[in-house]
Amino acid sequence: MAAPAVEATVASALRSVILRARKAAEQVGRDPERVRVLPVSKTKPVSLIRQIYDAGHRCFGENYVQEIIDKAPQLPEDIEWHFVGHLQSNKAKTLLTGVPNLAMVHGVDGEKVANHLDRAVSNLGRHPLKVLVQVNTSGEVSKSGIEPSSVLELARHVKHHCPNLVFSGLMTIGMPDYTSTPENFRTLSNCRADVCKALGMAEDQFELSMGMSGDFELAIEMGSTNVRVGSTIFGPREYPKKTT
């Protein structure tokens, strides 16, 4: 259980992030309401999420399947959960079964995982699931995501061959230090323009998930509609110590 002082700090940190996000949007003439702040509570206890929920926030993100299916049942059903990590195709059914109130998957990086999600949604009889195609904008082999040149092919597959999914936009992850560069964000923005033109989608209704703790303001200035903020809200990650 987290100490009350820590919980109060978490709620205050979220308010600060939301204010910074609004300011970043306003500085470039964007509607702040079009920017979704996703607190990502990787390795953090449910009590901290609950404190933010009690402060009025309803959108949350998680990176790992096991963690989100453990946490979601312990929290109110009106939470809008976003899965923002890499999703293996064989975990699609587990994720959807464990989190009935899952709103969006940010990391679809291939036809196989898209097909598994589509089939799982159909079998569960739940409403269509919003998904974002993950793009590797940095060219790092350690990063998931498809090459920018393959984005349209995968987007077209999801939109036209996965009737239980709603293709809603694109997502990218930053550099190893969890900050990105204008070039990475610009690449995703360019991909959006290409996909919208080819598929007849309106850019102002198209989601971009880019930006984390170290770069979310820059991401918003460059068009992001979802910023995934972890450590700035929750503090440093706490990983179990390895035993020898």
Side-chain angles (χ1 to χ4, degrees), residues 103-108 114 117 129-133 158 164-170:
M104 184 183 289
V105 170
H106 289 227
V108 173
L117 281 171
L129 176 70
K130 293 181 179 180
V131 299
L132 305 180
V133 166
V158 174
N164 301 289
L165 304 182
V166 180
F167 172 63
S168 301
L170 305 174

Side-chain angles (χ1 to χ4, degrees), residues 42-216:
K42 181 169 61 176
T43 78
K44 299 298 182 178
V46 167
S47 59
L48 293 184
I49 303 175
R50 183 71 204 218
Q51 181 69 17
I52 291 176
Y53 175 90
D54 289 344
H57 202 72
R58 292 295 180 269
C59 301
F60 294 88
E62 285 293 339
N63 289 78
Y64 301 120
V65 171
Q66 190 59 50
E67 196 163 356
I68 193 171
I69 65 175
D70 286 345
K71 290 177 176 178
Q74 302 179 58
L75 291 156
E77 294 180 358
D78 64 336
I79 283 179
E80 180 182 303
W81 287 105
H82 291 240
F83 185 74
V84 302
H86 174 65
L87 180 62
Q88 296 174 303
S89 58
N90 63 353
K91 296 290 181 65
K93 183 179 178 181
T94 301
L95 174 64
L96 289 173
T97 303
V99 191
N101 48 333
L102 185 69
M104 184 183 289
V105 170
H106 289 227
V108 173
D109 60 358
E111 290 187 7
K112 185 177 180 180
V113 69
N115 292 341
H116 276 253
L117 281 171
D118 183 66
R119 192 176 307 120
V121 172
S122 177
N123 290 341
L124 290 169
R126 59 157 281 165
H127 58 275
L129 176 70
K130 293 181 179 180
V131 299
L132 305 180
V133 166
Q134 183 173 349
V135 186
N136 186 335
T137 57
S138 64
E140 297 168 275
V141 295
S142 61
K143 289 287 187 295
S144 299
I146 58 173
E147 294 297 315
S149 60
S150 301
V151 170
L152 179 56
E153 182 181 0
L154 180 54
R156 185 176 279 121
H157 175 81
V158 174
K159 187 170 177 62
H160 296 309
H161 300 286
C162 297
N164 301 289
L165 304 182
V166 180
F167 172 63
S168 301
L170 305 174
M171 174 263 208
T172 196
I173 295 176
M175 305 295 275
D177 61 351
Y178 296 100
T179 60
S180 199
T181 67
E183 287 72 26
N184 296 150
F185 293 154
R186 195 168 291 114
T187 294
L188 200 69
S189 183
N190 289 341
C191 287
R192 172 181 61 182
D194 293 342
V195 169
C196 285
K197 182 179 180 181
L199 299 183
M201 300 177 69
E203 285 195 35
D204 62 355
Q205 297 299 313
F206 195 91
E207 301 266 11
L208 287 185
S209 176
M210 60 185 189
M212 293 185 276
S213 285
D215 56 17
F216 71 87

Side-chain angles (χ1 to χ4, degrees), residues 208-242:
L208 287 185
S209 176
M210 60 185 189
M212 293 185 276
S213 285
D215 56 17
F216 71 87
E217 286 155 307
L218 175 60
I220 291 169
E221 290 172 7
M222 299 186 72
S224 182
T225 62
N226 295 269
V227 291
R228 313 178 302 270
V229 184
S231 58
T232 297
I233 295 172
F234 293 101
R237 305 298 187 200
E238 298 169 2
Y239 295 101
K241 293 182 179 179
K242 293 183 179 180

